[in-house]
Amino acid sequence: MLKPNKLANKNFLSSLDLSSSEVFHLFELAKNFKNKKINIDLNNKVLGLIFDKSSTRTRVSFQVAMSRLGGTTIDLNPTTSQIGRGEPIKDTARVLSRYCDVIAIRTFDHSNLQEYAKWSTKPVINALTDLEHPCQALADFLTIHEEFLNFEDVVLTFIGDGNNVANSLILCGALLGVEVRIACPKGYEPNPLVIKKAYEIYKNKDLLKICHDPNTAVIGANVLYSDVWSSMGEENQKEEKDKNFNGFTIDSDLVSKANKDAIVLHCLPAYRSKEITDEVFESKKNRIFEQAENRLHAQQALLSCLLN
Ligand code: CP
Ligand code: NVA
């Protein structure tokens, strides 16, 4: 078993900031936290939360995780701090890392997150950028591992926009050797650099497929995954995206083409009758709330390692 302190003081900006053995170590730890088999006390360590976008799950799961670890969080709302008035990131990062022990940031440009990490002397965690959502991918693969007990022969089909959530699923999937298929409309493919990096990691290059036909992408899939069509910051593209994503709804017809044992995941929040029908969302195939719960356990494991 990997020693937790291997990750001490590291940043978690991308799914690729962990090795596959570190991901498996976090899963083991997360399951132990979940089953209340371990208790780690961080002695009042402080997590600063900078959220330039809305959040329910990420914010609350980080707050509860810190509380369970005997630490605390500070909500650094950009509109009530000097961040919103344009104080440079490099100044904010140097100040905050003298108060906080770790900082989680949700923002737009991934380069802003990297700028925080460059100037912070404390670990920085990606709580979602336009490019990646690595904490989400950890909880997603933890949920899949709980369901299927290993990743052998698991096929994950993501149907939707190839942005942050899809990018992190591809990278984490590559680390874990899981077959990942992305079915997206033309023009909404995942980031080319992400695809390139994933192909460098996959031993079997056939395990990553980017296509534009959900109906063929779900054949033989064990996990069907969806995300909103219009992400935060894309509110003005809603009408256009609703049109372009027509045919990319996870409905019962699509589910019937997947494996019999297939489960359905969604990072949430969900818009019924857009990316997923209410029927599928509420069906027995749904592991969406287990997945949401696992955000807490996965992040508790991550924090306990970064701060150990
Ligand atoms: N899935 C997710 O990150 O949810 P929130 O936007 O509510 O944090
Ligand atoms: N792609 C979505 C994910 C929300 C958790 C967004 O960026 O809004």
Side-chain angles (χ1 to χ4, degrees), residues 97-113:
S97 52
R98 286 173 185 245
Y99 303 145
C100 300
D101 300 289
V102 54
I103 305 169
I105 298 166
R106 169 169 286 199
T107 192
F108 295 86
D109 281 352
H110 196 75
S111 60
N112 287 342
L113 177 79

Side-chain angles (χ1 to χ4, degrees), residues 238-306:
K238 206 173 156 297
E239 214 173 304
E240 184 194 348
K241 290 191 94 173
D242 281 356
K243 222 167 18 173
N244 293 343
F245 280 77
N246 188 18
F248 287 79
T249 303
I250 300 190
D251 57 17
S252 39
D253 181 45
L254 206 55
V255 173
S256 72
K257 294 175 182 154
N259 252 24
K260 272 207 187 97
D261 69 350
I263 59 167
V264 174
L265 299 182
H266 192 306
C267 55
L268 298 177
Y271 293 88
R272 267 99 154 165
S273 79
K274 300 274 185 186
E275 72 273 8
I276 190 165
T277 60
D278 186 57
E279 190 186 2
V280 172
F281 190 97
E282 300 296 346
S283 74
K284 280 196 191 129
K285 301 254 168 209
N286 159 348
R287 298 291 180 279
I288 295 168
F289 295 99
E290 285 76 7
Q291 178 188 12
E293 180 186 331
N294 281 338
R295 296 292 308 277
L296 165 63
H297 308 303
Q299 286 157 209
Q300 194 174 347
L302 177 72
L303 288 165
S304 72
C305 290
L306 299 183

Side-chain angles (χ1 to χ4, degrees), residues 15-308:
S15 290
L16 291 190
D17 286 338
L18 299 175
S19 66
S20 62
S21 59
E22 286 165 345
V23 174
F24 279 114
H25 174 67
L26 289 180
F27 288 172
E28 197 182 320
L29 212 48
K31 287 178 188 176
N32 283 331
F33 278 125
K34 189 170 185 173
N35 300 327
K36 307 216 170 357
K37 283 198 185 141
I38 47 163
N39 194 10
I40 292 178
D41 188 356
L42 292 180
N43 291 317
N44 304 316
K45 293 241 167 81
V46 177
L47 164 67
L49 297 169
I50 302 175
F51 279 59
D52 288 334
K53 298 174 177 176
S54 309
S55 171
T56 298
R57 281 142 289 271
T58 310
R59 182 195 301 279
V60 178
S61 55
F62 268 122
Q63 287 171 331
V64 175
M66 276 310 273
S67 153
R68 290 190 181 182
L69 289 165
T72 184
T73 52
I74 302 181
D75 192 348
L76 295 155
N77 181 343
T79 59
T80 52
S81 68
Q82 303 288 8
I83 297 170
R85 288 180 61 219
E87 183 168 7
I89 289 175
K90 63 179 178 182
D91 296 353
T92 306
R94 280 179 286 183
V95 172
L96 291 180
S97 52
R98 286 173 185 245
Y99 303 145
C100 300
D101 300 289
V102 54
I103 305 169
I105 298 166
R106 169 169 286 199
T107 192
F108 295 86
D109 281 352
H110 196 75
S111 60
N112 287 342
L113 177 79
Q114 289 169 322
E115 174 82 351
Y116 271 108
K118 179 178 166 191
W119 292 96
S120 171
T121 56
K122 300 290 169 54
V124 171
I125 299 173
N126 182 349
L128 180 145
T129 62
D130 290 346
L131 184 66
E132 272 205 62
H133 198 3
C135 293
Q136 179 71 54
L138 274 185
D140 300 341
F141 283 104
L142 172 62
T143 310
I144 295 167
H145 198 260
E146 283 178 335
E147 181 75 25
F148 298 105
L149 306 177
N150 63 55
F151 292 124
E152 260 166 59
D153 302 324
V154 169
V155 177
L156 185 166
T157 297
F158 175 96
I159 295 160
D161 196 0
N163 67 357
N164 44 20
V165 169
N167 287 333
S168 287
L169 287 173
I170 289 172
L171 293 174
C172 199
L175 282 180
L176 300 171
V178 178
E179 178 167 347
V180 175
R181 301 175 188 165
I182 307 289
C184 60
K186 286 203 173 109
Y188 295 96
E189 290 82 6
N191 182 287
L193 254 181
V194 163
I195 297 176
K196 184 172 172 281
K197 283 187 195 164
Y199 276 127
E200 283 165 13
I201 298 167
Y202 272 115
K203 290 192 184 96
N204 176 355
K205 312 292 172 208
D206 292 337
L207 293 186
L208 174 62
K209 289 191 190 79
I210 315 295
C211 72
H212 304 106
D213 180 8
N215 289 296
T216 51
V218 297
I219 295 170
N222 315 91
V223 182
L224 304 189
Y225 193 122
S226 81
D227 181 13
V228 291
W229 289 344
S230 296
S231 286
M232 289 179 276
E234 296 183 337
E235 289 75 13
N236 59 354
Q237 298 172 38
K238 206 173 156 297
E239 214 173 304
E240 184 194 348
K241 290 191 94 173
D242 281 356
K243 222 167 18 173
N244 293 343
F245 280 77
N246 188 18
F248 287 79
T249 303
I250 300 190
D251 57 17
S252 39
D253 181 45
L254 206 55
V255 173
S256 72
K257 294 175 182 154
N259 252 24
K260 272 207 187 97
D261 69 350
I263 59 167
V264 174
L265 299 182
H266 192 306
C267 55
L268 298 177
Y271 293 88
R272 267 99 154 165
S273 79
K274 300 274 185 186
E275 72 273 8
I276 190 165
T277 60
D278 186 57
E279 190 186 2
V280 172
F281 190 97
E282 300 296 346
S283 74
K284 280 196 191 129
K285 301 254 168 209
N286 159 348
R287 298 291 180 279
I288 295 168
F289 295 99
E290 285 76 7
Q291 178 188 12
E293 180 186 331
N294 281 338
R295 296 292 308 277
L296 165 63
H297 308 303
Q299 286 157 209
Q300 194 174 347
L302 177 72
L303 288 165
S304 72
C305 290
L306 299 183
L307 292 171
N308 208 318

